[in-house]
Amino acid sequence: MDQKNFIVAIVLSVIIIMGWQTLFPSKPTPPPQQQTSQTTAPNAPTSGQPGGQPGAPQAPAAQPAAQQTVSRDEALARSPRVTFATPELLGSIALKGARIDDVRLAKHREELDPKSPPVPVLSPVGVEHPYYAEFGWSSSDEAVKVPGPDTLWTASQTTLEAGKPVRLTWDNGAGLIFALDVAIDENFLFDVKQSVENKTDKPVTVFPWGLVVRFGEPKAEGTYVLHEGPYGVFNSSLKEFGYSDFKDNKSQKLSTTGGWVGITDKYWMATLVPDQKSKVDVTLKGTGAAPNIKYQIDYVGPAVTVEAGGSGGYEAHLFAGAKIVRVIDAYREKLGIDRFDLTIDWGWFWFFTKPMFWLLEWLYVELGNFGVSILILTVIVKAVFFPLANKSYAAMSKMKALQPEMEKLKQRYGEDKQRMNQELMQLYRREKVNPAAGCLPIVVQIPVFFALYKVLYTTIEMRHQPFFGWIKDLSAPDPLTILTGFGLFHWQIPEILHFFNIGIWPLGMGVTMFLQQKLNPAPADPVQARVFQFLPIMFTFMLAPFSAGLVIYWAWSNTLSIAQQYYIMRKHGAPIGGKAQPKAVVPATPEPVAASGNGKKGGKKKR
């Protein structure tokens, strides 16, 4: 098989498969390492753990039915609150249940319009989809009264500020005083110090816990490119779970020392970070049925024995906010959180994707526009791979110059494929041409393409970032499309027509791909030639729903490749636009003809 055809087939297969999985994903299957068990009933604590440790704490009762939901303001008014407002977060903590259930992002809006509401990360019980975090204590001794979801705590102050923690206290009336010292920083981290003061005459053993509860399955992107749902790092190993893993009251139980566990959306998350030096038992579960299914993740820490007249405590953290790369990395370094950078889905090729992000962000800081940064990044990538691409384009140019001779061989040996391939190989060796070398620019571009795609699709830094003209959000598809008259008509396009709704930049990308293809030598096989002619059209439709930043990169990369390839082809005398440049080509060796006659001069008689 022709090496060029083989390599091109592999490359195109990878692109088509990845594109198909992106556009038409299937639901993920549970990882094989996980163990699945059935819970006893919705909202019931799980069975006790070894050593007398109690199961996961019981969460509040399921939310009211849909017709009983109220507005966010009404739900917030149901409990006295401690409010906070930092440069990044707005919200409050409910004193009923000591519940962190009102967290909104101060700098990120739901829509592109800066006047749209702040993005809600956590929401109180009473709204359509409650989503909150709690910290507390449990005990294996039923006689020990511990705080619950309806406990009304007393706050030391009505506001929480960065550097000024609030103390929540509750006296159980039987000699135990529970306290939560909640601090918040200037970004997205809550520090929660749990403590118990024992005023009785005998020791008491309690277990610290933390949980995150989410009602209802959120609308997710649903692609293999990005994970959304429960996940965590357990004993330095990342495990990801789909929401479907917890339907029918299923649960997952794991133990870990260090790490974290949370629920992530595309750009924000709610993640629990227990003490990194102590072993905790983690439970992930779903209870109830759609649409009000409740997803809960929680951990139970090691036993804390508080002697009579003494006190004991435990410290943990809650991250509730935007997954900003530099902030995530800073927490990992400062607090020693095991593999906390994996809260951002960098993918299998993180060692390539993350440096790509850092370079792109550095360019943004210097230039002030992510779109321009993408253009400069493309130039840098082209410069890095210039020697390889230069050699590849030179080989392609030589192949282009050999087209007339290849046509002659095709006409001469058209019926004898084996002989024609032999003559082609001789022609390649004689002209020192590697037919597979021309595929290298495509092969080199693929990892760069997917790394940039991952950056644009995953990182919140690209969200709502403008370019020029009509591109107001580089992470969203081109808004000026064919079916909207390129912005002249505003109507709800049926889902069945989305595949044909192509924007201006995808069309430009298709044109540049077509022009670049014209500079390449056509395949000898007419069927392959027709397939290659169809590729620009296929890629135009396939990339149309992708982020505008990615399509801009691809179109700009094609343009640079065209300029580079045009120059090299002129240098090597390859035909451009149907006009061959003045460069001689050694003709193919004619087939030797045996001389006739019996032993005459100039030939030998065959035996």
Side-chain angles (χ1 to χ4, degrees):
M1 178 182 287
D2 190 321
Q3 290 183 3
K4 175 181 177 180
N5 297 339
F6 179 71
I7 294 177
V8 171
I10 292 177
V11 171
L12 293 179
S13 298
V14 171
I15 294 176
I16 292 171
I17 291 172
M18 293 299 294
W20 182 270
Q21 289 180 344
T22 300
L23 298 176
F24 307 101
S26 59
K27 294 184 178 181
T29 56
Q33 305 96 323
Q34 302 161 3
Q35 296 180 344
T36 304
S37 61
Q38 298 288 336
T39 55
T40 55
N43 293 326
T46 53
S47 59
Q49 303 293 330
Q53 181 171 322
Q58 183 173 352
Q63 64 155 352
Q67 64 268 23
Q68 296 176 320
T69 60
V70 297
S71 68
R72 188 181 187 93
D73 289 340
E74 289 179 290
L76 294 175
R78 291 177 174 178
S79 169
R81 293 184 169 270
V82 174
T83 61
F84 55 84
T86 71
E88 295 287 353
L89 293 180
L90 303 171
S92 58
I93 301 172
L95 294 183
K96 185 178 181 180
R99 190 174 297 156
I100 302 176
D101 61 356
D102 175 28
V103 177
R104 291 160 286 148
L105 301 179
K107 295 181 179 179
H108 299 273
R109 303 290 166 174
E110 293 184 1
E111 305 293 339
L112 194 58
D113 185 356
K115 296 181 180 179
S116 63
V119 170
V121 179
L122 300 180
S123 300
V125 171
V127 300
E128 186 176 4
H129 297 295
Y131 188 14
Y132 53 82
E134 289 182 4
F135 295 87
W137 297 93
S138 59
S139 175
S140 55
D141 185 354
E142 295 182 358
V144 177
K145 187 178 179 182
V146 295
D150 295 323
T151 297
L152 188 61
W153 295 69
T154 301
S156 60
Q157 58 203 48
T158 58
T159 59
L160 172 63
E161 301 177 24
K164 297 181 179 179
V166 62
R167 185 175 180 86
L168 308 182
T169 56
W170 178 71
D171 190 333
N172 74 346
L176 296 180
I177 299 177
F178 296 87
L180 297 174
D181 291 285
V182 183
I184 190 172
D185 66 4
E186 294 183 351
N187 292 306
F188 311 106
L189 197 71
F190 293 85
D191 176 83
V192 181
K193 296 178 180 178
Q194 303 168 243
S195 61
V196 180
E197 184 180 357
N198 184 5
K199 293 187 175 182
T200 68
D201 57 358
K202 57 183 179 180
V204 174
T205 299
V206 289
F207 299 85
W209 55 257
L211 64 78
V212 169
V213 169
R214 183 173 206 166
F215 285 89
E217 182 174 343
K219 184 178 180 180
E221 300 281 340
T223 71
Y224 285 98
V225 178
L226 178 74
H227 172 72
E228 295 180 79
Y231 67 156
V233 162
F234 306 92
N235 299 314
S236 298
S237 177
L238 175 67
K239 294 185 184 296
E240 297 175 338
F241 305 85
Y243 286 107
S244 60
D245 295 340
F246 305 105
K247 293 181 179 179
D248 301 323
N249 297 329
K250 293 179 180 177
S251 66
Q252 307 282 347
K253 295 181 181 296
L254 305 101
S255 296
T256 183
T257 300
W260 46 269
V261 61
I263 301 177
T264 183
D265 294 309
K266 182 175 182 178
Y267 292 124
W268 27 83
M269 65 176 178
T271 299
L272 299 168
V273 183
D275 178 75
Q276 295 296 287
K277 296 181 180 180
S278 61
K279 180 182 177 181
V280 296
D281 294 305
V282 178
T283 301
L284 306 94
K285 65 181 180 180
T287 55
N292 295 327
I293 184 172
K294 182 182 71 174
Y295 300 97
Q296 177 172 312
I297 60 169
D298 57 60
Y299 69 83
V300 178
V304 176
T305 300
V306 185
E307 299 296 334
S311 62
Y314 187 84
E315 184 174 3
H317 298 89
L318 168 70
F319 182 104
K323 298 191 292 184
I324 298 175
V325 177
R326 58 176 176 79
V327 174
I328 296 289
D329 287 347
Y331 286 143
R332 181 195 62 183
E333 296 295 329
K334 180 180 178 181
L335 301 176
I337 305 174
D338 187 20
R339 309 194 74 180
F340 198 54
D341 56 316
L342 295 186
T343 53
I344 298 174
D345 188 358
W346 295 110
W348 290 348
F349 302 105
W350 57 269
F351 51 85
F352 190 67
T353 305
K354 197 167 183 180
M356 178 77 72
F357 167 81
W358 285 118
L359 177 57
L360 192 60
E361 187 184 47
W362 179 81
L363 289 171
Y364 168 71
V365 172
E366 297 297 321
L367 301 173
N369 185 294
F370 263 114
V372 176
S373 302
I374 291 172
L375 301 183
I376 300 301
L377 175 66
T378 310
V379 174
I380 294 174
V381 170
K382 287 289 184 182
V384 170
F385 293 108
F386 178 80
L388 179 61
N390 193 49
K391 185 177 180 180
S392 300
Y393 288 139
M396 294 173 69
S397 300
K398 291 181 180 180
M399 286 287 293
K400 187 82 171 179
L402 290 177
Q403 285 291 109
E405 295 303 320
M406 295 169 66
E407 285 297 324
K408 291 179 182 179
L409 292 176
K410 178 182 176 182
Q411 293 174 4
R412 181 177 300 176
Y413 306 109
E415 299 300 325
D416 189 348
K417 297 292 185 182
Q418 182 177 359
R419 182 62 184 276
M420 186 178 72
N421 286 335
Q422 291 175 352
E423 293 296 330
L424 279 174
M425 290 300 105
Q426 291 181 10
L427 179 63
Y428 294 156
R429 284 194 293 268
R430 186 167 58 250
E431 294 299 324
K432 298 180 180 179
V433 173
N434 182 0
C439 299
L440 288 177
I442 300 176
V443 175
V444 167
Q445 244 188 130
I446 286 178
V448 177
F449 173 84
F450 282 115
L452 185 60
Y453 175 47
K454 193 75 172 179
V455 168
L456 290 172
Y457 189 81
T458 302
T459 58
I460 194 173
E461 286 81 354
M462 306 298 163
R463 183 177 185 264
H464 292 176
Q465 288 292 337
F467 184 41
F468 295 118
W470 65 95
I471 302 297
K472 306 299 183 183
D473 185 359
L474 286 166
S475 66
D478 189 331
L480 298 189
T481 59
I482 292 177
L483 298 184
T484 62
F486 299 112
L488 295 178
F489 312 112
H490 300 280
W491 64 293
Q492 187 67 32
I493 300 173
E495 187 174 351
I496 194 173
L497 297 178
H498 282 180
F499 180 75
F500 304 98
N501 198 28
I502 304 172
I504 294 178
W505 271 105
L507 287 172
M509 185 277 303
V511 171
T512 58
M513 189 175 183
F514 172 79
L515 294 176
Q516 185 182 14
Q517 188 184 83
K518 284 297 183 182
L519 296 177
N520 298 335
D525 186 350
V527 176
Q528 290 185 17
R530 285 193 291 271
V531 170
F532 272 67
Q533 290 173 357
F534 179 73
L535 285 181
I537 300 175
M538 184 191 74
F539 271 75
T540 299
F541 280 96
M542 192 175 77
L543 295 182
F546 283 32
S547 64
L550 189 71
V551 180
I552 290 171
Y553 158 77
W554 195 264
W556 176 235
S557 178
N558 287 346
T559 303
L560 295 177
S561 297
I562 290 171
Q564 182 181 0
Q565 194 169 349
Y566 181 85
Y567 168 77
I568 295 173
M569 291 180 70
R570 286 185 60 88
K571 180 179 178 182
H572 289 271
I576 301 174
K579 298 181 180 180
Q581 304 302 312
K583 183 176 177 65
V585 177
V586 179
T589 303
E591 182 179 4
V593 179
S596 61
N598 296 324
K600 291 183 180 181
K601 186 178 180 179
K604 292 184 179 181
K605 183 179 179 180
K606 290 185 177 180
R607 294 184 179 181

